[in-house]
């Protein structure tokens, strides 16, 4: 988390050797963190289950301690600032920075020990703000992670994401269908009559175009 914050700060400065080094540390830190905290869901023998539970407890303790010192919400807030600066052409985010950030967020929503730190209203709001950039990023791995994050983080609950999906439905047909469908049936989402009409109209366009990969 500390390396992530350092890299985010470096991204706002001109490209220098120090900034490049910070970005590499960011990459290395995320690789180590995601690989050492990955959880397997396959069945284990009794002895191995006990060892696995002890290891999981240790990992959770370490992660909780790390994020208490370096909160995820501070990192996501900084990431949101970097995305805003990139959109305004005041800085240029590198492909490595975006790819590593997307991978870390995706890992955070896939692993139980991380999810509690990511699944907060401020963090999900920050994700809703940066996700359009990630979804349109030229790197396929970033786009894949972004689509998974949008679903796992329940970003259909944000009007900005639903509007983005309607506008870009031809680029993300399956994701658009999934998010707008969730928005229509989610009791926590206040959908207006106009939005319902717009969503249904979007579904019709996708069906007529044969754009959906599944019936």
């Amino acid at each position: 988390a500390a390396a992530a914050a350092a890299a985010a700060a470096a991204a706002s400065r001109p490209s220098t050797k120090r900034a490049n080094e910070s970005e590499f540390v960011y990459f290395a830190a995320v690789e180590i963190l995601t690989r050492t905290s990955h959880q397997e869901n396959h069945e284990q023998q009794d002895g191995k289950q006990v060892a696995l539970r002890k290891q999981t407890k240790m990992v959770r303790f370490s992660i909780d301690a790390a994020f208490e010192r370096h909160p995820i919400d501070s990192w996501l807030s900084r990431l949101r600032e970097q995305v805003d600066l990139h959109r305004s052409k005041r800085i240029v985010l590198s492909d490595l920075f975006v790819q590593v950030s997307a991978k870390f967020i995706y890992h955070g929503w896939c692993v139980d020990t991380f999810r509690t730190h990511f699944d907060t209203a401020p963090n999900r709001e920050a994700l809703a703000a940066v996700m359009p950039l990630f979804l349109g990023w030229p790197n396929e791995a970033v786009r894949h992670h972004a689509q998974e994050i949008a679903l796992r983080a329940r970003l259909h609950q944000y009007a900005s994401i639903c509007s983005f999906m309607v506008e870009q439905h031809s680029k993300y047909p399956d994701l658009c269908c999934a998010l707008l469908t969730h928005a229509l049936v989610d009791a926590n989402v206040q959908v207006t009559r106009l939005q319902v009409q717009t969503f249904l109209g979007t579904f019709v366009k996708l069906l007529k175009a044969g754009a959906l990969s599944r019936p």
Side-chain angles (χ1 to χ4, degrees):
S12 64
R13 298 192 293 268
S15 180
T16 64
K17 180 180 179 181
R18 186 179 182 85
N20 292 336
E21 289 174 350
S22 295
E23 193 169 73
F24 176 77
V25 171
Y26 181 42
F27 164 77
V30 169
E31 282 294 306
I32 293 171
L33 188 59
T34 54
R35 289 179 182 274
T36 56
S37 59
H38 179 69
Q39 295 175 342
E40 297 287 352
N41 293 320
H42 54 74
E43 294 184 0
Q44 301 280 345
Q45 297 178 0
D46 290 343
K48 291 184 178 180
Q49 284 182 342
V50 173
L52 182 61
R53 283 196 294 269
K54 289 182 179 179
Q55 181 183 7
T56 301
K57 186 175 181 180
M58 291 176 60
V59 170
R60 183 182 295 275
F61 176 81
S62 299
I63 291 172
D64 289 345
F67 290 156
E68 183 177 353
R69 294 182 60 189
H70 307 282
I72 286 295
D73 57 348
S74 298
W75 175 73
L76 279 173
S77 177
R78 185 63 178 169
L79 177 64
R80 182 176 183 175
E81 292 176 4
Q82 300 306 301
V83 169
D84 289 340
L85 290 171
H86 178 85
R87 285 177 176 144
S88 63
K89 302 186 185 304
R90 294 170 63 186
I91 65 170
V92 177
L93 295 179
S94 72
D95 181 64
L96 177 62
F97 178 82
V98 175
Q99 184 175 355
V100 172
S101 298
K103 180 178 181 177
F104 180 54
I105 296 169
Y106 172 70
H107 183 80
W109 281 94
C110 290
V111 179
D112 290 341
T113 49
F114 282 76
R115 192 177 302 116
T116 54
H117 297 279
F118 277 85
D119 195 358
T120 67
N123 289 346
R124 292 173 60 237
E125 182 179 348
L127 287 179
V130 306
M131 212 44 55
L133 177 73
F134 282 20
L135 286 168
W137 198 256
N139 187 315
E140 184 178 353
V142 174
R143 296 197 302 272
H144 171 73
H145 284 142
Q147 293 189 43
E148 290 292 328
I149 293 165
L151 293 169
R152 292 173 182 269
R154 308 183 304 283
L155 296 189
H156 65 271
Q157 295 180 348
Y158 293 87
S160 60
I161 291 295
C162 290
S163 297
F164 178 78
M165 285 291 105
V166 169
E167 295 170 359
Q168 304 292 329
H169 66 273
S170 60
K171 292 183 179 180
Y172 320 102
D174 291 320
L175 180 64
C176 174
C177 185
L179 291 179
L180 297 187
T181 300
H182 287 338
L184 289 174
V185 300
D186 190 337
N188 294 318
V189 179
Q190 298 293 327
V191 182
T192 66
R193 180 178 298 181
L194 178 60
Q195 285 177 312
V196 172
Q197 294 174 346
T198 302
F199 293 176
L200 293 178
T202 302
F203 294 152
V204 170
K205 292 178 182 178
L206 291 173
L207 290 171
K208 284 184 176 180
L212 300 174
S213 61
R214 292 176 294 178

